[in-house]
Amino acid sequence: MMRWNTSSLARMAVCLSLMLGLLGCSGDSEPPVQTTHYEFSLEQSTLTMKDGVQLAVTYYRPTAKKSGETFPVIMEMVPYRKDDFFVLSDYGYGAYFAKRGYVVARVDVRGTGGSQGSIPKSEYSQAEISDAEQLIDQLSKKDWSNGKVGMYGISWSAFNSLMTAHRKPPALKAIIAAHGSTDLFYNDVHYIDGALHIDSYAHQIDTDNSMPQSPDYRIDETYFKNRFDQEPWIFTWLRQQQDGDFWRQESTTFKAPLEVPAYLIGGLLDGYRDFVLDVGQSSKAPVIAEIGPWNHAWPEYGVPGPNYEWRQKAVRWWDYWLKGIDNGVLDEPRWMAFMRTGHSPATDLSTIPGYWRCDQQWPSDNSTKRYYPQAAQQLSLAPTAQETAQPLLYRAGTGMAAGGWWGEQTGDMATDDSHSLVFDSAPLTEALEIMGMPQVRLRVAADAPFYQWTVRLEDVAPDGKVSLVSGASINPSQRFSRLEPTALIPGEPTTLTASIHFTTWRFQPGHRIRLAVSNAQFPMIWPSPTAGVTSLLSGNSTWLDLPVVPTRNASDQACLLPQPEVDDAAPFGETLENNGPVFESFRNEKTGDSTFTTTSDIRWTAHGNEFKSSESYRWDVNDARPAHASYQGERNNLFTINGEEIALSAKARIESDDTYFHVTFTKVLRKNGELVREKTWADHIPRRFQ
């Protein structure tokens, strides 16, 4: 998933700060390495697959300084339309690496953007990964290539870089992956922790995939057949509500350990951050791993900071693996994570307090500290002598304070905690630092066959303000097997376990550690259908394990972090407006109604054409009628190409009841204001433990 509006806005803010001289960098810094850069050209071309489909590629190609000079190739393959939606943001990265002696090949996935073929049936299809293998082979054989290829990217292109690396194409020598995933069912954007998540991304990608092929934007029968008339992916994802072959086909967690060297980047406010640990601890090849404090973004502009210029190390990484330069990049600390110092909740921080921890490998001096929930909202180091049931009334609208997924900055969690079971430790007498994935075990009972559970790890300051540290959701139907879900037996206790998503945090003296437990995480998780009551049974079988590491000071080590560099601006266009995304939540305690909305719009020019995209999304639920939750959204793309307007709008609505999801999706295409085509898809999809 790529949340491009958030990332683009944050990136613009960072670039502005750099130009104004406002941005600093935590820790020691090194001046940029002075090099003689290459001139480069921007070239549009295609590469032909075995089935005859031509994939569109943009080359950022260095100009040789001497006769016969060849270059390694860095490939990125995504469906995010390199000729319009991503044309401006791609340029800075293509220029950066091309100027340092690398051919950058930016490819549109088949059936998207400028590439031929039909839209794949879903993300990360076998055809897509097979195409990646063929692309690597062809790129390695170009007369300007030295025969060595790397793959890189953020989000989607991190996913397929990992997947392609597991197939070990001979010319692929190394990858760089930021914000990826190894488990498409549990750690992607459709079923977070195994529970249904309806994200605006699903609407965005289904709309954008339906746009005409660039750069001609021809509207004809081939376009209708391959793009506009293709069923939206959201139906496919809703029909796959349980783990199985569909999700595991390319999920790398179920394959042999990685054998291609990988430079991994994660963010503590990103929903995919666990992948860094998954790959870093299992890989058979060398790994460099870095996790910073930001959201779904690259380290030089991610929010919040502190930021650094990761591309300097990326060039050294590529130099080592693709040019054979022994520069010592593997002799330096290979693991770096930002230790967040506990801070007040806020949604608008540009930087947060803390320091970088650098180690040669994953810290081995960590330990586990176990806490047990008890009566009177206490979190203790010892369990209760007798198991005690604590009732929890299910309020379906609980959870909005945590936002749309386990990421982004959050405000005070007290509003969510008021509808949860909360357990607080005694005020700490000394600082406690954690780094890793906390573990939780809950002994529970319920009055209906299906609920969801959510656990949140929080920091309670002396003034009562509550900061979110991390969290996780639990789908209890998968407690015995992800592949064979089973219902709860009403009234019968059962045990649930979960890993809370990777986090770092320094709990300050005087602060309290809080475990919050609820049956809802709206709108992140689709509400379960039955209004009722569950119970948490405190005792030996209910606990929280924290991954404790020894406290350090920033001065104890040297994490060398070069300051972010200002990107080369694309000479052929500019962003005219970028508003949002704006998130709003509304809760009526008297009626039990909860609403969450997000809106955004962006406008830009490129190569003399003008583009505009706007969107609005809304999620609703009522505590007394949780089965009847709903989502509705609209995305509008207006492209003015050579003076002609192409407008594509897509509206979606998902409504649930006790047994079905009722889904409609409508596409409307207009040219110069006149209707060209309209098509609606509708289905009633049975609920299966969601």
Side-chain angles (χ1 to χ4, degrees), residues 44-47 53-58 78-86 90 106-119 208-209 211-218 226-227 639:
Q44 305 296 335
S45 187
T46 60
L47 292 169
V53 170
Q54 292 184 335
L55 302 187
V57 55
T58 297
V78 285
Y80 298 138
R81 301 186 63 92
K82 66 180 181 62
D83 299 329
D84 39 59
F85 276 110
F86 270 56
D90 282 348
R106 169 65 163 83
V107 184
D108 281 336
V109 169
R110 67 165 54 216
T112 72
S115 291
Q116 293 180 350
S118 181
I119 297 172
D208 299 347
N209 279 350
M211 292 296 294
Q213 182 179 347
S214 61
D216 298 329
Y217 300 90
R218 185 179 298 111
N226 288 338
R227 300 194 183 197
F639 288 8

Side-chain angles (χ1 to χ4, degrees), residues 41 96 113 145 181 204 209 223 233 263 266 283-284 313 347 380 419 453 455 469 493 500 550 563 576 581 600 613 623:
S41 60
Y96 190 96
S145 171
S181 175
Q204 292 167 353
N209 279 350
Y223 156 66
W233 284 347
Y263 178 1
S283 176
K284 290 185 177 181
K313 182 177 284 186
T347 60
S380 174
H419 298 306
W453 269 265
V455 292
V469 178
I500 293 176
Q563 292 193 9
L576 303 175
S600 69
S613 184
D623 290 347

Side-chain angles (χ1 to χ4, degrees), residues 619-636:
W619 295 256
D620 289 280
V621 71
N622 179 272
D623 290 347
R625 301 181 299 278
H628 299 277
S630 67
Y631 158 87
Q632 56 186 320
E634 180 174 1
R635 181 167 170 87
N636 297 287

Side-chain angles (χ1 to χ4, degrees), residues 557-603:
Q557 56 193 337
C559 295
L560 301 178
L561 301 175
Q563 292 193 9
E565 301 174 31
V566 177
D567 278 350
D568 288 357
F572 46 75
E574 62 179 326
T575 300
L576 303 175
E577 293 180 75
N578 195 342
N579 303 308
V582 176
F583 302 99
E584 294 186 297
S585 58
F586 309 91
R587 166 96 181 155
N588 188 320
E589 293 292 349
K590 292 183 178 180
T591 64
D593 290 312
S594 295
T595 299
F596 188 88
T597 66
T598 177
T599 59
S600 69
D601 64 84
I602 183 172
R603 185 167 64 93

Side-chain angles (χ1 to χ4, degrees), residues 451-465:
Y451 282 97
Q452 308 276 13
W453 269 265
T454 287
V455 292
R456 298 185 302 274
L457 177 62
E458 299 169 347
D459 181 334
V460 184
D463 63 3
K465 293 181 179 178

Side-chain angles (χ1 to χ4, degrees), residues 180-326:
S181 175
T182 62
D183 190 339
L184 295 182
F185 182 68
Y186 249 60
N187 199 15
D188 194 5
V189 74
H190 312 302
Y191 294 89
I192 294 178
D193 303 326
L196 177 62
H197 172 71
I198 299 298
D199 195 278
S200 59
Y201 166 78
H203 198 138
Q204 292 167 353
I205 194 66
D206 276 332
T207 308
D208 299 347
N209 279 350
S210 301
M211 292 296 294
Q213 182 179 347
S214 61
D216 298 329
Y217 300 90
R218 185 179 298 111
I219 296 173
D220 56 17
E221 289 304 315
T222 299
Y223 156 66
F224 293 137
K225 176 184 176 183
N226 288 338
R227 300 194 183 197
F228 188 92
D229 291 345
Q230 290 292 310
E231 182 183 62
W233 284 347
I234 198 167
F235 290 92
T236 300
W237 296 327
L238 274 168
R239 293 176 190 133
Q240 300 290 336
Q241 295 171 36
Q242 300 302 323
D243 196 6
D245 292 341
F246 176 85
W247 300 108
R248 296 192 177 196
Q249 189 169 56
E250 297 297 339
S251 291
T252 58
T253 195
F254 303 104
K255 302 182 185 299
L258 189 68
E259 295 184 27
V260 174
Y263 178 1
L264 311 172
I265 297 173
L268 293 166
L269 293 186
D270 182 76
Y272 300 149
R273 56 192 177 269
D274 299 346
F275 97 102
V276 176
L277 224 60
D278 294 341
V279 177
Q281 293 186 313
S282 64
S283 176
K284 290 185 177 181
V287 166
I288 291 175
E290 299 171 358
I291 301 181
W294 44 75
N295 54 7
H296 197 70
W298 288 110
E300 87 276 15
Y301 69 91
V303 177
N307 303 101
Y308 63 91
E309 186 50 79
W310 66 278
R311 289 172 294 188
Q312 288 190 20
K313 182 177 284 186
V315 170
R316 297 178 63 224
W317 174 259
W318 295 132
D319 283 351
Y320 184 88
W321 294 109
L322 304 186
K323 292 184 178 179
I325 300 174
D326 189 0

Side-chain angles (χ1 to χ4, degrees), residues 677-689:
R677 199 174 190 90
E678 180 174 349
K679 187 175 178 66
T680 297
W681 291 260
D683 199 1
H684 307 288
I685 302 173
R687 295 183 76 145
R688 299 183 179 92
F689 298 108

